[in-house]
Amino acid sequence: MGVALTAFDAVVSYETADGPGRLPIADLYLPVGDTPHRETALPPGALITGITLPPSPTAARSRYRKVRERASYAFAIGSVAAALDVADGVVRDVRLAFGAVASRPWRAGTAERALVGAPADAETFAAAADAELAAARPLPHNAYKVTLMRNLVVAVLTELAEEAAR
């Protein structure tokens, strides 16, 4: 769920002994670093009490797609949360986040910026995915995920664009 919430700029509300707090989901998950015992930036003892999604017309046409090695495995080897707003064949707005390819949900800001104002077609989607994934630094055993994610982005965005054209 964190991947989809990241795509739509969710805000996490929480309570502590000192009172309530709010945290953008983009700041919730900590990067891999010196604190392997902590996965989130929540204060010690915090209890999540709610999640708020800001209004987003783009969310009306959205998808979440998860790829697994086998149907029996629950964990993704790659996932994409995507939303697309298209008018007259041109991308007006797009939201993209990746899962299972980093230590936390990966908001695909480079791809989003490349797509706004561009034609809503597979070639453009592939170029945007390539631009985003240029920053990927896979390990030898998971380098296949770069191609997997590129193909997943193109497939999901193409499906959303075709739906918008109907």
Side-chain angles (χ1 to χ4, degrees):
M1 187 183 308
V3 178
L5 293 174
T6 297
F8 294 106
D9 300 321
V11 176
V12 175
S13 300
Y14 62 88
E15 283 286 336
T16 67
D18 297 327
R22 293 172 52 86
L23 186 65
I25 195 133
D27 299 333
L28 176 67
Y29 300 100
L30 294 174
V32 173
D34 297 330
T35 55
H37 60 287
R38 294 194 62 208
E39 293 183 9
T40 71
L42 290 170
L47 174 68
I48 294 176
T49 57
I51 297 174
T52 305
L53 288 169
S56 173
T58 306
R61 184 166 289 110
S62 59
R63 294 281 185 289
Y64 174 78
R65 183 84 29 90
K66 176 170 104 171
V67 176
R68 303 178 294 184
E69 286 190 45
R70 300 178 68 171
S72 62
Y73 298 150
F75 296 103
I77 58 173
S79 67
V80 171
L84 188 65
D85 182 14
V86 176
D88 299 321
V90 175
V91 176
R92 289 195 308 191
D93 194 13
V94 60
R95 303 295 179 99
L96 279 172
F98 303 162
V101 293
S103 61
R104 57 186 175 173
W106 173 345
R107 181 71 181 266
T110 299
E112 289 176 347
R113 289 185 294 279
L115 288 169
V116 173
D121 59 37
E123 184 177 306
T124 303
F125 300 150
D130 288 342
E132 183 67 44
L133 294 166
R137 299 293 173 252
L139 301 172
H141 69 281
N142 68 3
Y144 71 93
K145 286 188 176 192
V146 175
T147 303
L148 174 97
M149 294 306 294
R150 178 190 195 268
N151 294 340
L152 194 55
V153 167
V154 173
V156 170
L157 290 178
T158 299
E159 182 180 303
L160 290 169
E162 289 171 353
E163 184 180 297
R166 289 187 211 134

